[in-house]
Amino acid sequence: MNYIKTKDGILLKDVQEFEPEHIFECGQCFRWNRTPDGGYKGTAGKRNIRIKRVDPGILFYNIGEREFCKYWVDYFDLGRDYGYIKKILSEDPVLKKAAEYGSGIRILKQDVWETLVSFIISANNNIKRIKNTIERLCHDFGEKLTSKDEIYFAFPTPDRLAEQAAQNLRACGCGYRAEYILRTAKIVAGGDVNLYSLEKMNTKDVRNILLSFPGVGPKVADCIMLFSMAKLDVFPVDVWVKRVMEHFYLREGTPLPKIHGFATEIFGPFAGMAQQYLFYYAKNIMGRTPDKR
DNA sequence: CCCCAGGCTTTAC
DNA sequence: GTAAAGCCTGGG
């Protein structure tokens, strides 16, 4: 990894497979937004940051080396060779095209609690509304923070959400998911499950634990493992992935578990990366509903 | 007005 | 175990 300190922040140089637009628009995160200068600004946990593709690399604004190494290297999974993964997956002709299209996608390593709640909200929902609901939750119940005269809100803690009435969560647009979030928050706040110990367990065991939370089914569980625990072997099947899989590999009407099993078999340890390429590809190529931001 | 959207839970076979 | 209905909300 090659980076230098500049007056603006940290400049990551010679990085392969890092395309901000593809990373932030591929459905894995909800608190990153495009800035007028063509970069992106996002909040992760208690931190917010602005990044932008500049000529020689990726610029991380207003942070030092210490902060970069301590947090953002892991967050952006900078130690992983995505070129290698892409090469392996590209042996499949469909994946080859999808990976070319979504070139530069990386799997973020997001906070587990935040990802858990975010993907409970994502059920039967669309990205625009998911983002809106999450921002309102953060605004109402998250810690108020400032950086460089700018106000932003951290994602609410389990305790803070657990003490709310369901009605307060519904007021943020959660709808019927409010009860799921509330019950989940109470479980986590109660301390029976340590979300941050799950990562080192195997995929199957983690999935079963995640499935025990209300509002978490197979798809949401896979998303949580993929987007907050770097479990690249999972394959979340949502409607778009179902469409693209049925279009290229399987007959229409294939049950979700069958699609899941088929995909994990042919894509193996990088099934999650295949899912990201396919999702992004499907949504933009096969797409109706461009899901305008 | 009806239909749908990055699904889950519950109920009924 | 599998299939179908119902669900908040916002938008087409």
Side-chain angles (χ1 to χ4, degrees):
Chain A
M1 191 178 2
N2 180 14
Y3 63 89
I4 58 171
K5 292 185 272 189
T6 75
K7 63 175 172 52
D8 293 320
I10 295 290
L11 178 61
L12 179 61
K13 298 174 70 175
D14 308 324
V15 57
Q16 305 298 311
E17 300 296 324
F18 193 125
E19 182 49 58
E21 179 176 355
H22 295 170
I23 291 171
F24 299 127
E25 308 288 352
C26 70
Q28 62 177 322
C29 56
F30 303 107
R31 299 199 75 195
W32 286 87
N33 295 292
R34 204 188 297 271
T35 53
D37 68 352
Y40 277 85
K41 189 166 67 173
T43 308
K46 285 187 164 198
R47 303 154 196 265
N48 77 341
I49 194 172
R50 195 159 61 88
I51 76 168
K52 186 186 176 185
R53 167 175 287 290
V54 294
D55 194 11
I58 307 291
L59 181 57
F60 294 69
Y61 285 96
N62 302 321
I63 59 166
E65 184 174 7
R66 185 190 167 85
E67 167 76 357
F68 179 71
C69 293
K70 201 167 184 68
Y71 192 78
W72 297 108
V73 167
D74 281 341
Y75 184 85
F76 285 102
D77 199 16
L78 295 179
R80 195 184 305 274
D81 184 355
Y82 281 84
Y84 171 75
I85 297 175
K86 197 158 108 175
K87 198 177 91 182
I88 299 294
L89 289 176
S90 293
E91 289 171 12
D92 179 297
V94 175
L95 255 296
K96 184 175 167 59
K97 292 203 72 169
E100 278 168 16
Y101 185 83
S103 189
I105 292 179
R106 308 183 76 85
I107 305 287
L108 299 176
K109 188 160 180 180
Q110 303 178 77
D111 179 77
V112 182
W113 162 246
E114 177 171 341
T115 307
L116 169 59
V117 176
S118 296
F119 280 90
I120 289 176
I121 294 169
S122 80
N124 196 19
N125 211 336
N126 61 61
I127 291 182
K128 189 178 168 193
R129 260 190 62 210
I130 298 164
K131 291 174 87 166
N132 184 24
T133 298
I134 291 172
E135 285 319 306
R136 286 155 78 183
L137 282 174
C138 293
H139 176 271
D140 287 3
F141 310 116
E143 184 180 353
K144 187 176 183 177
L145 301 163
T146 57
S147 71
K148 290 179 78 74
D149 306 326
E150 200 180 345
I151 296 173
Y152 66 101
F153 293 89
F155 195 86
T157 63
D159 299 284
R160 190 74 164 80
L161 290 186
E163 68 191 15
Q164 301 304 318
Q167 197 55 42
N168 292 341
L169 302 187
R170 283 187 176 248
C172 296
C174 298
Y176 61 84
R177 306 165 196 84
E179 280 77 11
Y180 301 151
I181 296 168
L182 190 53
R183 286 163 57 196
T184 293
K186 284 176 176 168
I187 293 169
V188 175
D192 291 335
V193 184
N194 180 4
L195 294 180
Y196 302 92
S197 70
L198 299 181
E199 184 186 344
K200 47 184 183 293
M201 299 169 55
N202 70 63
T203 298
K204 192 180 164 193
D205 290 342
V206 180
R207 178 182 282 113
N208 286 330
I209 292 172
L210 290 174
L211 287 174
S212 70
F213 289 103
V216 177
K219 188 269 180 183
V220 169
D222 280 352
C223 284
I224 297 164
M225 288 190 283
L226 185 55
F227 303 137
S228 72
M229 301 180 196
K231 297 212 172 291
L232 267 60
D233 57 330
V234 305
F235 191 86
V237 185
D238 56 53
V239 291
W240 288 100
V241 172
K242 177 172 157 64
R243 277 174 200 152
V244 70
M245 289 299 290
E246 289 177 347
H247 185 263
F248 288 113
Y249 299 97
L250 302 161
R251 70 171 201 284
E252 266 187 61
T254 306
L256 297 180
K258 289 262 191 215
I259 297 176
H260 184 271
F262 175 79
T264 52
E265 194 164 314
I266 66 170
F267 300 132
F270 302 129
M273 210 44 223
Q275 190 269 5
Q276 284 294 274
Y277 288 136
L278 289 169
F279 173 79
Y280 194 63
Y281 187 58
K283 191 148 189 193
N284 289 287
I285 296 300
M286 308 172 71
R288 319 169 291 185
T289 61
D291 210 327
K292 263 220 157 343
R293 306 177 321 100

